[in-house]
């Protein structure tokens, strides 16, 4: 602890190891709790200490919006996963998807995949949050979205084929982001999505 700091009367801080005093002072200042029983004695330290407190205030202020923003991103990812799990349990056939309702379904899934793709771009740390159950894990369920896209692309109605192509394109874009930012495996979108599942300790949902 530099001699440029002063200690309040009766304080035992000066009797502690210098490293411990320095850590204590820095933590108290960054946390904006006040200097307590250690105060700067030199004029230049009186300027540096408030600047350190300002940095601490900025860090605390930035943490709150991050927490408020990351959890909606995780919620969107888990909602998509649960929706895919419910569809897998229902197991709609190609004929059931080959209708206007099926086109709307595939189109809405494509929109949700795009939102998740944007979340991975804006909140890269969200990738490292592992979901609990398989039915709430996008890593486990995203393979079924690929299967639905293929069924849509095989439909007879043009609007269903268009929606299937949109979903396939959204999954391809998602796979490109996952591979570019996190996996670095290369390969087809199907292979990248399988690597995403394996990286999260999951097996891909089977069609």
């Amino acid at each position: 602890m530099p001699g440029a700091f002063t200690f309040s009367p009766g304080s035992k801080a000066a009797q502690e190891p210098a490293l411990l005093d320095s850590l204590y002072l820095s933590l108290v200042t960054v946390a904006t709790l006040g200097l307590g029983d250690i105060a700067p004695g030199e004029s230049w330290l009186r300027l540096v200490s408030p600047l350190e407190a300002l940095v601490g205030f900025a860090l605390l202020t930035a943490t709150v919006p991050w927490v408020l923003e990351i959890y909606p991103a995780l919620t969107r990812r888990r909602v998509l996963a649960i929706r895919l799990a419910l569809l897998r349990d229902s197991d709609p056939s190609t004929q059931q998807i080959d209708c206007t309702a099926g086109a709307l379904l595939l189109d809405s899934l494509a929109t949700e995949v795009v939102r998740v793709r944007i979340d991975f771009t804006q909140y890269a740390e969200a990738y490292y949050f592992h979901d609990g159950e398989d039915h709430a894990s996008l890593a486990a369920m995203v393979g079924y979205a690929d299967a639905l896209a293929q069924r849509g692309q095989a439909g007879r109605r043009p609007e269903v084929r268009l929606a299937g192509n949109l979903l396939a394109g959204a999954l391809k874009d998602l796979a490109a982001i996952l591979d570019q930012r996190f996996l670095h495996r290369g390969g087809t979108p199907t292979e990248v999505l399988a690597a995403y599942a394996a990286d999260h300790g999951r097996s891909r949902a089977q069609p």
Side-chain angles (χ1 to χ4, degrees):
M1 175 65 70
F5 286 92
T6 60
F7 300 88
S8 62
S11 172
K12 295 183 179 179
Q15 302 173 11
E16 301 293 338
L19 178 61
L20 182 61
D21 282 342
S22 300
L23 182 61
Y24 163 75
L25 174 65
S26 194
L27 288 176
V28 168
T29 304
V30 168
T32 67
L33 298 176
L35 292 172
D37 53 351
I38 305 177
E42 298 290 340
S43 57
W44 67 274
L45 283 174
R46 293 179 182 275
L47 177 63
V48 171
S49 295
L51 290 177
E52 186 178 2
L54 184 62
V55 170
F57 178 76
L59 290 174
L60 292 173
T61 303
T63 300
V64 174
W66 181 85
V67 172
L68 294 178
E69 291 175 3
I70 193 68
Y71 279 98
L74 295 174
T75 299
R76 286 188 290 270
R77 191 173 78 189
R78 290 163 183 165
V79 166
L80 174 58
I82 293 173
R83 191 178 180 197
L84 289 171
L86 293 173
L87 285 169
R88 181 196 59 179
D89 294 341
S90 299
D91 193 24
S93 63
T94 301
Q95 291 74 19
Q96 290 176 309
I97 293 177
D98 194 14
C99 61
T100 302
L104 293 174
L105 170 65
L106 296 176
D107 182 71
S108 65
L109 288 174
T111 300
E112 292 186 44
V113 170
V114 170
R115 286 174 180 157
V116 170
R117 180 256 190 230
I118 293 174
D119 287 338
F120 278 128
T121 303
Q122 294 183 337
Y123 312 107
E125 60 277 5
Y127 177 85
Y128 303 100
F129 284 73
H130 287 228
D131 302 305
E133 307 84 357
D134 278 350
H135 73 277
S137 171
L138 183 62
M141 300 309 308
V142 70
Y144 187 70
D146 191 24
L148 288 175
Q150 293 177 19
R151 294 182 190 180
Q153 291 174 311
R156 295 183 178 181
R157 292 174 175 264
E159 65 270 22
V160 175
R161 292 197 300 272
L162 175 60
N165 289 333
L166 287 174
L167 179 55
L171 290 169
K172 181 179 179 181
D173 195 29
L174 173 63
I177 289 296
L178 290 173
D179 191 49
Q180 176 186 355
R181 288 177 170 262
F182 310 107
L183 297 171
H184 310 292
R185 303 285 181 85
T188 66
T190 300
E191 292 171 342
V192 171
L193 294 177
Y196 170 46
D199 193 45
H200 281 66
R202 311 285 183 175
S203 58
R204 287 185 58 196
Q206 298 300 318

